[in-house]
Amino acid sequence: MIRFLLNRFGQSIILLFIVTVITFFLINLAPGGPTGVMRMDASPDERQAVIERLGLDQPVIVRYFEWVGNAVTGDLGTSFNSSEAVVERIAERLPYTMELTVFTIIFSVIAGIILGVISALKRGKAADHVINFSSVIGLSVPSFWLGLMLILLFSVELGWLPSSGVGPRGADFDFGGWMAHLAMPVLILSTTVLPNIVRFTRSSMLEVISQNYIRTARSKGAKEFVVLYVHALRNAMIPIISIIGVLIPRLLSGAVITEAIFGWTGIGTLIIEAANGRDYPLIMGITVVITLVVIISNLLVDIIYSQVDPRVKNMA
C-alpha cells in the first residue's frame, strides 16, 4: 500500500506540473489580457503602467517559475481585480462548491444504484425501458435549459423553491431553507453523472446475476432478497466504485453552469469572474485547487476500491 501511495504521489506531482504549465502559457497567449478590461479611453501609457505594475512585462517563462516558487510555499498570488489574496478568495468560495458536489454525489449514487438495480431486474420490461429512456434524456438535454425550466416551474409558477442563492447561513441558518436552495442545483448537477451510474449499475448487475455462484445460491434455497442484495449487489458495487472517481471531474465542470444558473456563489461563478476579468493569478489558483481536489478524490476512490476488491488489494 505504501508503494502504491508513493507511486500515485509521484504521478500527481507530474500531472499537477503539466496542468499548471499548459494553463499558465495558454492564458498568457490569450489576446487582451488584464489591460483589455480597462476603460476604452485609457492611454497607452496608463496601460503600460498597469502591465509593469502587474509584472506582465517579464518573459512568460520567468513569470511561470516565479509563480511556481511562490505556489510551493502556499502563496498563489494576489487577484488582479480585487487585490485580495487568491487563497482567501478560493477559501471563501470552495466550501459552497464542495457542499453542492458532495450532496450531488450522495444523491446520484443512491438514486443511480436503485434505478440501475430495478432496470436490471426488470430487463426488457416497461420499467427498464422507462429508466433507460430517462437516462438518455438526462444525458442529452442541456443542463442550462433544464435548469431554466425548473426555475420557471418550481420558482415562478408554483413558488415552491427559491430560484437562486445558497440559502440562510450563520446565525440565520434554517435547515428547511438550506435544503430548499440545494434541491434544484443538486438535481440539475446530478444529470451530468446520474445516467452514467444508472447504466453502469445495470450492466454490472446483469453481469453478476448471470454468474454461477448466483445460480448456486438460488439452488441452495436462499431467499431472492438475500441472493440479489447480499450476494449480487455487493459484487456489482465493486466496479461502480471506480466510475465515481471518473465522474468527479465532470461534476466540477458541470458546477460552473449550474452555479451560474442558480446564483450559487461557489468556485464555478468565481471561474467566470476570473475569466471575464482576465485575472491570471485567480485562474491559476482555481486550476491548482480543482486539480488537487480531483487528484485527492481519485486517490480516495482507488484506496476504497483496493480495500473492497481483494484482487486489487493484493496488487497494491
Side-chain angles (χ1 to χ4, degrees):
M1 178 59 70
I2 295 177
R3 195 169 92 180
F4 168 76
L5 292 176
L6 290 175
N7 185 39
R8 288 303 303 269
F9 178 76
Q11 294 175 359
S12 301
I13 295 297
I14 296 173
L15 175 62
L16 189 60
F17 172 74
I18 293 173
V19 169
T20 57
V21 167
I22 293 175
T23 305
F24 193 91
F25 283 88
L26 281 179
I27 62 177
N28 280 275
L29 287 173
T35 59
V37 296
M38 295 178 65
R39 65 182 191 276
M40 295 295 294
D41 60 345
S43 66
D45 290 338
E46 290 176 323
R47 296 180 185 274
Q48 184 61 32
V50 170
I51 291 175
E52 293 176 0
R53 178 172 60 83
L54 298 177
L56 299 177
D57 56 333
Q58 299 294 322
V60 176
I61 190 71
V62 173
R63 286 189 280 124
Y64 173 74
F65 282 106
E66 182 180 349
W67 178 85
V68 170
N70 294 329
V72 170
T73 64
D75 180 13
L76 296 177
T78 303
S79 171
F80 286 167
N81 298 326
S82 66
S83 299
E84 297 177 78
V86 169
V87 172
E88 293 179 2
R89 295 208 64 187
I90 294 175
E92 180 184 357
R93 300 288 193 94
L94 184 61
Y96 294 109
T97 297
M98 295 306 297
E99 175 185 303
L100 182 61
T101 304
V102 168
F103 272 92
T104 301
I105 291 175
I106 293 173
F107 171 76
S108 299
V109 169
I110 294 175
I113 291 175
I114 293 174
L115 294 174
V117 170
I118 294 173
S119 181
L121 298 180
K122 302 294 183 180
R123 182 181 183 181
K125 297 182 180 179
D128 182 29
H129 294 311
V130 170
I131 293 173
N132 285 329
F133 178 75
S134 301
S135 298
V136 173
I137 294 297
L139 289 172
S140 305
V141 175
S143 57
F144 68 87
W145 180 86
L146 187 58
L148 293 175
M149 293 302 102
L150 289 184
I151 290 174
L152 287 174
L153 176 60
F154 292 108
S155 299
V156 178
E157 294 295 331
L158 300 176
W160 292 353
L161 298 172
S163 61
S164 63
V166 295
R169 305 284 169 149
D172 300 326
F173 178 77
D174 173 60
F175 182 78
W178 175 53
M179 294 303 294
H181 281 82
L182 266 172
M184 287 196 292
V186 166
L187 182 60
I188 293 301
L189 190 55
S190 67
T191 60
T192 62
V193 296
L194 178 58
N196 291 282
I197 296 176
V198 171
R199 298 171 70 180
F200 208 84
T201 302
R202 180 183 183 274
S203 61
S204 181
M205 194 69 178
L206 286 173
E207 181 180 353
V208 168
I209 61 179
S210 64
Q211 298 296 318
N212 290 330
Y213 69 89
I214 297 295
R215 299 191 187 97
T216 302
R218 283 175 173 156
S219 65
K220 289 182 177 181
K223 294 182 179 180
E224 190 66 11
F225 178 86
V226 175
V227 172
L228 294 176
Y229 296 99
V230 176
H231 297 291
L233 183 58
R234 184 177 63 182
N235 289 284
M237 282 291 294
I238 294 176
I240 296 171
I241 294 173
S242 64
I243 197 176
I244 296 175
V246 177
L247 295 175
I248 288 175
R250 188 177 299 179
L251 271 178
L252 293 174
S253 61
V256 177
I257 298 175
T258 303
E259 290 182 7
I261 294 171
F262 294 100
W264 193 269
T265 54
I267 290 293
T269 53
L270 190 61
I271 291 174
I272 297 175
E273 293 175 16
N276 289 335
R278 275 77 160 181
D279 198 334
Y280 293 171
L282 189 54
I283 294 173
M284 287 300 301
I286 294 172
T287 301
V288 169
V289 170
I290 290 179
T291 304
L292 286 174
V293 169
V294 172
I295 289 173
I296 293 172
S297 59
N298 277 277
L299 178 61
L300 291 175
V301 169
D302 286 344
I303 292 174
I304 295 172
Y305 189 84
S306 66
Q307 296 302 311
V308 172
D309 192 339
R311 296 168 299 179
V312 179
K313 184 177 182 179
N314 295 331
M315 291 173 62

